[in-house]
Amino acid sequence: MARIEPSDGIDRPLSAPAHIVMEGVGLSYFTLQQETEALRDVCFEIARGEFISIVGPSGCGKSTLLSLISGMLTPTQGSVRIDGEEVSGTSSKVGYMLQHDHLFEWRDVLGNLTVGAEIRRMDRKKARAKAETLLERYGLGGFAGYLPSQLSGGMKQRVALIRTLVAEPDILLLDEPFSALDYQTRLTLQEEVFRIIKDQGTTAVLVTHDLSEAISMADRVMVMSSRPSTIRSVHPITFEEGSHLSPWDRRQAGRYNGYFNAIWKELEQR
Ligand code: ADP
Ligand code: MG
């Protein structure tokens, strides 16, 4: 069995220039009753085009971390930088896809795909052309005029993904995007989304409860501790067969079980 090097998890130097940098990031939520310290001293660098999966106990701050990268939240400590610039507010360079990404039921697929462009007052024609190209490329070419109620759960999530891609983000944040789907659909979508992301060279950060999904899609898996959450460890995922194995092939690869067992044990220890 392949030996897996333990990882210190902090600030691993990367050969490619960092795309996203988190430095000493802390985030506390304040309500009238209490303060909740969600994240403490998170230090991490993500390279351009890298795929990172984040796993950790429920409520530890994984979604919070994505919100910080998206600019929807501002850190209470430290800084988050994209391409060397401090994140301040949301940007169309960062796409965000959620578990239940609601489509507008009264708009057809194409109408859903161009809604972001309309809100941002982007060129409608350009957005429409982009949407049509993406639908075609990702197997939904015949569905532009369908209403969401006429699509399966898997197709809806694919439309939601394409909607985030219309804005041509170079960072994609995925917060448990497959967890509401049945097992078979989930496996199919993992394959497709993986291919789309590699195709576009997008930097991706995926939060998931599914360890098998985390390992089979990512270049590195980040394990978070319970709250106040910090990075517990980071596992680089490499396969002897090469770096372009699909999630399906990775699950059959020799090193896969070693990664799974090592990370599973860590998650159990809390
Ligand atoms: P995860 O995604 O890992 O399940 P979250 O990032 O959603 O965790 O939340 C981390 C912690 O912060 C949890 O304890 C949660 O209750 C708390 N929290 C999240 N959002 C808010 C908020 N808007 N106000 C107050 N507390 C929050
Ligand atoms: Mg969450």
Side-chain angles (χ1 to χ4, degrees), residues 27 29-31 34 36-39 56-65 67 73 175-176 207 209 227:
L27 190 286
Y29 289 103
F30 296 95
T31 61
Q34 60 179 357
T36 306
E37 189 181 8
L39 297 173
S58 179
C60 75
K62 302 180 293 299
S63 298
T64 302
L65 196 60
S67 297
L73 283 176
D175 200 347
E176 308 194 28
V207 165
H209 275 114
R227 211 162 43 77

Side-chain angles (χ1 to χ4, degrees), residues 35-50:
E35 175 187 348
T36 306
E37 189 181 8
L39 297 173
R40 183 186 288 180
D41 198 25
V42 173
C43 299
F44 199 63
E45 292 194 359
I46 301 174
R48 185 170 282 278
E50 202 180 11

Side-chain angles (χ1 to χ4, degrees), residues 9-28:
I10 307 296
D11 230 355
R12 180 173 307 282
L14 297 159
S15 46
H19 193 181
I20 307 170
V21 176
M22 283 167 272
E23 215 168 64
V25 170
L27 190 286
S28 294

